[in-house]
Amino acid sequence: MSAPAQTHCSSRLTITGQMRPEYSDILTPEAVQLVTELVERFAPQRDELLGQRAARQARIDGGELPDFLPETAHIRQANWTIRGIPSDLQDRRVEITGPVDRKMIINALNANVKVFMADFEDSLAPAWDKVMEGQLNLRDAVNGTIDFTSPEGKRYQLKANPAVLICRVRGLHLPEKHVTYDGKPIPGGLLDFALYFLHNHKALLAKGSGPYFYLPKLQSHLEGRWWSEVFAWTEDRFNLARGTIKATVLIETLPAVFEMDELLYQMKDHIVALNCGRWDYIFSYIKTLKNHPDRVLPDRQSVTMDKPFLSAYSRLLIKTCHKRGAMAMGGMAAFIPTKDPSVNEEVFAKVRADKEREARNGHDGTWVAHPGLADTAMTVFNSAIPAGSTNQLHVLREDDAPITAADLLAPCEGERTEAGMRTNIRIALQYIEAWIGGNGCVPIYNLMEDAATAEISRTSIWQWIRHGKTLANGQPVTKALFRQMLSEEQEVVKKELGDARWQSGRFSEAAALMEEITCADTLVDFLTLPGYERL
């Protein structure tokens, strides 16, 4: 039985999500108090930071281009390093990522990887039950008591020496509508942080680890400073040494790549690494430069890490991190192995080539989305990292030519094709349908898709329409062409999935949402925001 939908927890904080009996283990009085205090102290500044994002974007929409900040040149030029990296985070040669459902957590922690990033963000559709169950699952994982039995009777349990656990919280833009403060939804990331920290920090520290977090979608060093202030306040409140809480920041927005030194500096007590969040970075390139007709990207499939603007991003991240004593993590391999050996051979060759490029550049580790890719990635980084070492912090790239703003903003060569546009539509349609149905991590065409790839798919088409671009076959990309293709590709997806799956799903609703945001005159910042209203 669930409790009544509305629970008043204080005079100003209200929980409106259904309270199943087991949720009382997570939403304890102490937890509610911590969430309340964090929201009181830090939500107003978060709102100001979102306002600063909008103001900066308005300047870029008006013709300005992102650049390194002249007012922080002294930070980039000075000699300083971060506080340090805990011993269990010094070897991160392969990390796996995925949502916080029970079976996934067990399989990920048991995989041949060093770290599992448990995700409340891009691979989770944050329905209330998913968020609460995710916190329960992580508590059990930390305590070593997590298990799962499938409907077929197969039992899953943790092996000895599982991977190190890191929790990715929601981005600053995402609200938690089931918890309000003075009637306003609270920042989802503050809820995720508070609950994971409170229920797990003692057990993590007792076994020689700690409360470790991944921070997504930061756009400025001021946003990094905000998180560091959240961490420092929490450490003080719980009488913990400064720097007990550690974070890895994803560099997955175009504005943030110009402020990596500053992010490391503002967060130096708490930060241990930056990560090349490549898919979101491509999405951010499109979104940030949406009004610039000379920066329109080609088909998503041709925007690979060997393209000049992405290669510059990877190399600058490594050089910046290693100069400051921080680790530099590579990007995601999203392929899913199949039962066809010939297909797998091609998949593994692509993954190997991608990881070899990252290792050659000097990354300390990389990401995979499926346990079946872990061995391939591990072999590459085992070969690259010297015997007796755990990372590539020694690779300083001191002989590199300076990477300029022009390098990071360089237009990308490649075609816009009808096949690419149709593929974008099918991927985005299927992903949005899954997301509004509560599933944020979806296998589509042998790739593990999360919100970032769906974002690329729909924003590419929006930008092509916005600037009147033409496909390789001569067709102008218009709203009418998009609507025609959307109608046709719905039939393709229906045939691929079968009538039963189509009828039981929410594809018409997903198509309507996709049409709404793709044909809007103003680009919608994140599809997850209108999606969340339907979740």
Side-chain angles (χ1 to χ4, degrees):
M1 292 289 292
S2 298
Q6 189 168 76
T7 304
H8 289 281
C9 298
S10 75
S11 59
R12 305 179 74 178
L13 189 99
T14 304
I15 297 174
T16 58
Q18 287 292 109
M19 283 296 292
R20 302 183 191 280
E22 60 270 29
Y23 297 172
S24 61
D25 291 346
I26 294 296
L27 292 169
T28 60
E30 187 182 11
V32 171
Q33 181 62 29
L34 177 59
V35 171
T36 301
E37 291 177 26
L38 284 167
V39 170
E40 285 174 348
R41 283 166 174 78
F42 295 105
Q45 296 98 301
R46 172 263 203 172
D47 294 343
E48 290 171 16
L49 291 167
L50 292 181
Q52 290 170 23
R53 279 187 186 183
R56 174 192 266 185
Q57 185 60 54
R59 295 194 299 272
I60 295 171
D61 288 346
E64 186 181 295
L65 285 172
D67 204 346
F68 298 98
L69 303 177
E71 64 269 26
T72 54
H74 62 286
I75 293 174
R76 296 192 295 277
Q77 292 159 7
N79 289 319
W80 51 267
T81 58
I82 64 166
R83 178 183 281 265
I85 302 172
S87 59
D88 65 337
L89 286 180
Q90 290 184 11
D91 188 342
R92 301 175 64 173
R93 61 191 79 193
V94 181
E95 300 187 350
I96 192 167
T97 75
V100 287
D101 71 79
R102 209 161 177 86
K103 179 182 168 185
M104 173 71 207
I105 290 169
I106 297 169
N107 285 341
L109 288 171
N110 286 342
N112 181 24
V113 298
K114 299 295 183 181
V115 170
F116 167 46
M117 187 202 77
D119 192 17
F120 284 97
E121 209 236 0
D122 263 6
S123 63
L124 184 85
W128 176 247
D129 286 337
K130 296 263 184 165
V131 172
M132 289 295 104
E133 288 166 9
Q135 292 286 352
L136 286 164
N137 293 340
L138 291 185
R139 179 205 61 184
D140 292 348
V142 170
N143 291 334
T145 60
I146 190 169
D147 63 3
F148 175 77
T149 302
S150 72
E152 301 76 33
K154 185 177 179 183
R155 191 151 186 237
Y156 297 80
Q157 292 176 284
L158 279 188
K159 296 177 183 174
N161 302 312
V164 175
L165 183 59
I166 303 181
C167 173
R168 178 159 73 169
V169 299
R170 279 173 278 183
L172 291 185
H173 62 290
L174 287 169
E176 175 47 71
K177 64 185 178 183
H178 300 96
V179 184
T180 61
Y181 186 84
D182 287 348
K184 180 181 175 184
I186 70 167
L190 279 182
L191 180 74
D192 301 337
F193 163 74
L195 298 181
Y196 181 74
F197 171 85
L198 179 67
H199 294 298
N200 299 297
H201 74 279
K202 289 179 183 175
L204 288 164
L205 291 167
K207 60 183 179 182
S209 189
Y212 303 150
F213 295 90
Y214 253 106
L215 302 179
K217 299 191 176 50
L218 299 192
Q219 293 193 23
S220 77
H221 68 283
L222 299 178
E223 295 176 9
R225 184 172 71 186
W226 180 85
W227 268 115
S228 226
E229 288 170 353
V230 169
F231 296 159
W233 180 89
T234 305
E235 287 165 346
D236 291 344
R237 188 185 182 290
F238 288 86
N239 298 311
L240 297 171
R242 183 67 74 245
T244 298
I245 300 170
K246 293 298 186 187
T248 299
V249 170
L250 289 129
I251 300 300
E252 54 185 354
T253 69
L254 188 63
V257 81
F258 294 94
E259 299 184 32
M260 292 191 291
D261 267 310
E262 294 88 336
L263 265 164
L264 290 165
Y265 183 79
Q266 292 291 349
M267 299 189 70
K268 60 180 181 286
D269 283 339
H270 299 107
I271 200 163
V272 292
L274 300 178
N275 174 293
C276 277
R278 62 170 83 171
W279 302 116
D280 266 298
Y281 188 78
I282 294 167
F283 160 50
S284 179
Y285 183 99
I286 297 168
K287 182 168 66 170
T288 306
L289 302 177
K290 61 181 180 286
N291 274 11
H292 295 254
D294 56 336
R295 314 281 169 171
V296 178
L297 293 184
D299 283 352
R300 163 194 163 187
Q301 293 74 14
S302 64
V303 185
T304 49
M305 288 303 291
D306 56 351
K307 293 294 185 281
F309 83 103
L310 291 175
S311 175
Y313 150 65
S314 165
R315 289 180 286 114
L316 181 60
L317 185 144
I318 294 162
K319 184 174 183 178
T320 305
C321 283
H322 288 181
K323 180 181 179 182
R324 306 305 184 185
M327 294 171 73
M329 299 303 300
M332 170 70 80
F335 292 105
I336 303 170
T338 72
K339 293 179 180 176
D340 183 336
S342 61
V343 172
N344 279 351
E345 193 175 328
E346 186 180 339
V347 163
F348 289 136
K350 286 181 179 177
V351 171
R352 194 176 302 111
D354 178 46
K355 300 313 173 191
E356 285 172 350
R357 183 185 302 111
E358 289 183 329
R360 235 181 359 256
N361 278 354
H363 280 292
D364 298 290
T366 192
W367 273 15
V368 296
H370 192 281
L373 301 180
D375 290 350
T376 300
M378 189 67 76
T379 299
V380 170
F381 275 85
N382 284 346
S383 298
I385 293 172
S389 185
T390 53
N391 51 56
Q392 297 202 88
L393 281 166
H394 60 281
V395 178
L396 298 176
R397 303 198 65 98
E398 291 174 312
D399 296 331
D400 284 12
I403 289 173
T404 65
D407 295 327
L408 295 165
L409 298 171
C412 182
E413 298 299 317
E415 288 189 321
R416 293 174 296 276
T417 66
E418 179 178 340
M421 183 168 168
R422 289 182 179 277
T423 299
N424 278 349
I425 290 170
R426 291 197 305 278
I427 289 171
L429 172 67
Q430 291 178 77
Y431 184 81
I432 293 169
E433 190 275 337
W435 202 94
I436 62 177
N439 183 11
C441 188
V442 192
I444 305 174
Y445 306 133
N446 295 329
L447 289 172
M448 191 63 79
E449 304 284 6
D450 69 6
T453 43
E455 294 283 30
I456 296 170
S457 298
R458 62 98 184 176
T459 53
S460 285
I461 296 170
W462 183 94
Q463 195 182 39
W464 297 353
I465 294 169
R466 165 80 172 77
H467 295 293
K469 294 297 183 181
T470 303
L471 298 177
N473 63 9
Q475 280 183 295
V477 183
T478 62
K479 291 180 183 179
L481 178 66
F482 165 70
R483 289 187 175 110
Q484 175 194 327
M485 286 188 181
L486 177 60
S487 175
E488 292 166 355
E489 294 311 308
Q490 285 182 76
E491 292 304 312
V492 173
V493 171
K494 186 176 180 180
K495 284 179 185 171
E496 289 175 347
L497 298 180
D499 222 37
R501 170 70 182 91
W502 183 270
Q503 295 302 333
S504 66
R506 297 171 67 179
F507 291 95
S508 296
E509 191 178 346
L513 176 55
M514 188 179 177
E515 180 179 352
E516 176 189 318
I517 62 179
T518 307
C519 295
D521 291 335
T522 302
L523 184 64
V524 175
D525 270 352
F526 296 96
L527 68 82
T528 48
L529 291 174
Y532 189 48
E533 295 169 9
R534 295 161 171 81
L535 189 60

